Amino acid sequence: MIHLTTPLTYEKIKDLKPGDRVSLSGVIYTSRDAAHKRYMGMIEKGEPLPFDLKDATIYFAGPAPAAPGEVIGSCGPTTSYRMDAYSPTLLDHGLRAMIGKGKRNDEVIDAIKRNHGIYFAAIGGAGAVISSSIKKCDVIAFEDLGTEAVRRLEVENMPLVVAISCDGEDLYKIGRKKYLGVKENA
């Protein structure tokens, strides 16, 4: 297990490989497609985003409401391809890491390589487990979006897997080739 603390700089992530298990601590931000669409409008107008993108980490999630006495409700990852149209621009503006589930398109992978970013996979269906690593949650923007509002999370030992390394190695492609190779030889 590799322990990382945000903000994530290139120096912290440059040696990570697809399949590496990571324990992430620090500040991350939730954001889904509705918020990403608003970011694009803000960038076009030259307006500042709700948080500094430099070396930031966005978690593609829309958490459930917190039960009384809890910090947050279930907080599992959203399917990442929904953010593919927006991710290259955010990476070009300083975003370092993304957390979600599922593969990414070639444009996103090119932007990850170009900007020395990284993409982590969180376990889909494990939102309750993931939420136990969230120690603080504050809505910081777009409250009108409800569950899709942007939240600032403080996480401790959030379990993740490197899905796409900063040099563009893709666990989804590697795993598929390995599976098909084993299947063909069986």
Side-chain angles (χ1 to χ4, degrees):
M1 182 73 68
I2 299 164
H3 295 274
L4 294 174
T5 302
T6 64
L8 296 179
T9 61
Y10 174 65
E11 284 301 312
K12 290 181 183 180
I13 65 168
K14 67 183 174 110
D15 296 324
L16 295 175
K17 298 290 178 214
D20 284 348
R21 292 179 25 211
V22 170
S23 174
L24 184 66
S25 297
V27 173
I28 64 174
Y29 301 91
T30 65
S31 196
R32 287 179 34 167
D33 28 337
H36 276 69
K37 186 173 182 178
R38 288 190 185 180
Y39 297 155
M40 295 303 105
M42 295 171 83
I43 288 170
E44 283 177 17
K45 294 176 187 171
E47 298 173 357
L49 297 186
F51 59 92
D52 186 2
L53 280 177
K54 179 155 177 47
D55 296 331
T57 300
I58 290 179
Y59 179 30
F60 304 142
E70 297 293 325
V71 173
I72 197 166
S74 180
C75 192
T78 297
T79 304
S80 299
Y81 77 80
R82 293 169 45 188
M83 274 54 73
D84 281 1
Y86 314 111
S87 293
T89 300
L90 296 177
L91 286 159
D92 289 342
H93 280 82
L95 179 66
R96 180 72 59 195
M98 299 164 287
I99 303 167
K101 68 178 180 183
K103 65 182 183 173
R104 310 303 301 275
N105 71 25
D106 289 340
E107 290 80 18
V108 174
I109 294 170
D110 289 343
I112 287 170
K113 292 187 324 192
R114 181 172 63 246
N115 294 288
H116 308 292
I118 196 160
Y119 172 55
F120 297 107
I123 305 299
V129 173
I130 292 170
S131 66
S132 69
S133 68
I134 300 169
K135 305 305 177 190
K136 189 172 181 191
C137 172
D138 295 301
V139 173
I140 62 165
F142 314 144
E143 192 168 353
D144 61 302
L145 295 178
T147 192
E148 291 199 39
V150 178
R151 289 169 172 75
R152 179 186 183 276
L153 304 180
E154 291 180 21
V155 299
E156 189 175 295
N157 299 317
M158 184 179 193
L160 304 170
V161 173
V162 175
I164 302 173
S165 63
C166 55
D167 59 2
E169 291 182 81
D170 186 343
L171 183 62
Y172 293 99
K173 291 177 183 173
I174 292 166
R176 181 172 169 76
K177 285 179 186 175
K178 187 182 252 185
Y179 171 77
L180 291 174
V182 169
K183 189 146 177 102
E184 288 170 6
N185 295 330

